[in-house]
Amino acid sequence: GPLEEACLPLFFGWFLCPTFQDKLRNMAKDFLKNLQGLEDFKKHLSDFTGEAEKEVVLEQYFQDKGMLHCTTKFCDYGKAEGSKEYAEQQAVKDRYGSMSELKLSALFLTPRTLGARVSLTEEQLQLWPAGAEKEAMPDADLPAGSRAHITLGCAEGVEPLQTGLDLLELVLLQQQGQEGEQVQDLDLGPLAYYGKGMWVLNLRESSLARACFCSYYG
Ligand code: ACK
C-alpha cells in the first residue's frame, strides 16, 4: 500500500565516514589547483568558459553537493522503477548498516561535473542495481559498476545525476580503446585529456575510503 511505498528512501548507497569525506575533498581541491596551473589545461579553458579569454577558478566553478556518497539505487521514495525490488533483495537487507571500503581509482571532471570513480569489489557489486548502466546508455554494453562514482561537485545549474552519466561517457570512450591524450604525470598519477573538457586523473595508488551502506531520506 501507499504507506509501505512511503518508506522507501530517496536513494541507497555507501556514505563516506567524515574523515574520508575531508580527505577526499582536500584531494580534489589540490587536484583542481594543480590542474588550473597547467598550460595544457589553459589551452583547453574555453571548454569551461565558452570563450578563451574568460577567467575560471575551478574550485568555485564546482559547487559542493553535500555529504559524499556513492549511490547504488536511486529510489525516489519508491517512484523509480525497480526500487521496491531492490530494497527487498536479501543482500541489501543483510548488508544494510554495514561498513566497507570503497576503492577510488580515478578523479575526473567535465564542464558539468567533478567526481571520483569507484571500483567496486565482487562483494560490493551484489548491492549494485541491475541495469544501472543500460538505463543510462541503452546502446552500450558496459560492465556492471561502470557508473559507480562519488560526486564531488557540479557546475551551476547541473544536477548530481549528471556525474554518473559523465563517467559512463568516459568509460565508453575507454572501452572503445581511447586512452585520451596523455598530458602529464601529476603527484597523484597520470593525467589524460579526452576532449570536450573531459579530464581523467588515474590514481597511481588507489585510495580506500571507509563507507557505510545505508540510505538517505532527505
Ligand atoms: O551524485 P549522485 O550519485 O547523483 O547522488 C545523487 C543522489 O541520487 C540524490 O539525488 C543520484 N541520482 C539522482 N537521480 C538519479 C537517477 N535518476 N538515477 C541514478 N541516480 C540518481 C544523484
Side-chain angles (χ1 to χ4, degrees), residues 2-15:
L3 265 183
E4 269 165 54
E5 276 156 37
C7 287
L8 286 176
L10 181 60
F11 66 95
F12 285 89
W14 288 281
F15 296 81

Side-chain angles (χ1 to χ4, degrees), residues 10-12 65 67 69-76 80 132 135 147 149-152 154 159-165 216:
L10 181 60
F11 66 95
F12 285 89
K65 290 292 163 186
M67 199 178 16
H69 68 272
C70 174
T71 305
T72 53
K73 176 70 184 171
F74 180 73
C75 294
D76 200 11
E135 177 192 282
R147 191 177 176 175
H149 69 278
I150 295 167
T151 296
L152 297 168
C154 294
E159 295 292 331
L161 158 68
Q162 187 62 42
T163 320
L165 306 181
Y216 180 81

